[in-house]
Amino acid sequence: LDNLFAMQKQLVFRVFDQLGVTLTPAERQLVDRQATTNINAFLAYSRGLLAADDGRFEDATRYFQEARTLDPGFGAASARFQAAQAAALGAQVSAATLEGGLS
């Protein structure tokens, strides 16, 4: 598991090479950055992505919060948490709720 993230980065750079994509040094540095090295935070984040894709925003919020708790420096998890939280609130709004609020 310790090498999982390093192997993932190697694969990404090989794909770029195979596609003939030349990265600038700044782009290479961005791609090489690791969002997290905590495998459990990464797995929780991945579950959050799946839940959000399925429209299960409350579940996604919970998974992204778990990822943030496991790795407080995991910026992508924090950003997705906020987006899922907003989507969950938006999903709770119905036409009747809007009409009632306008009345």
Side-chain angles (χ1 to χ4, degrees):
L1 290 178
D2 291 339
N3 293 323
L4 177 66
F5 294 109
M7 290 184 330
Q8 181 259 342
K9 293 299 179 182
Q10 288 175 352
L11 178 62
V12 167
F13 286 118
R14 287 175 109 184
V15 169
F16 281 131
D17 288 342
Q18 290 291 320
L19 293 173
V21 175
T22 303
L23 299 174
T24 66
E27 290 169 333
R28 190 168 191 80
Q29 186 177 9
L30 284 172
V31 171
D32 203 31
R33 263 193 352 215
Q34 290 185 346
T36 184
T37 56
N38 183 316
I39 190 70
N40 291 320
F42 178 75
L43 291 173
Y45 178 79
S46 298
R47 287 185 201 103
L49 292 175
L50 289 173
D53 284 349
D54 289 342
R56 296 180 294 117
F57 300 114
E58 289 181 16
D59 290 341
T61 300
R62 189 177 73 251
Y63 289 128
F64 292 135
Q65 178 56 39
E66 180 183 349
R68 289 172 11 144
T69 300
L70 291 167
D71 182 353
F74 193 175
S78 292
R80 292 287 186 153
F81 169 79
Q82 292 174 351
Q85 202 172 35
L89 289 173
Q92 294 172 0
V93 175
S94 66
T97 306
L98 287 174
E99 289 173 2
L102 293 173
S103 300

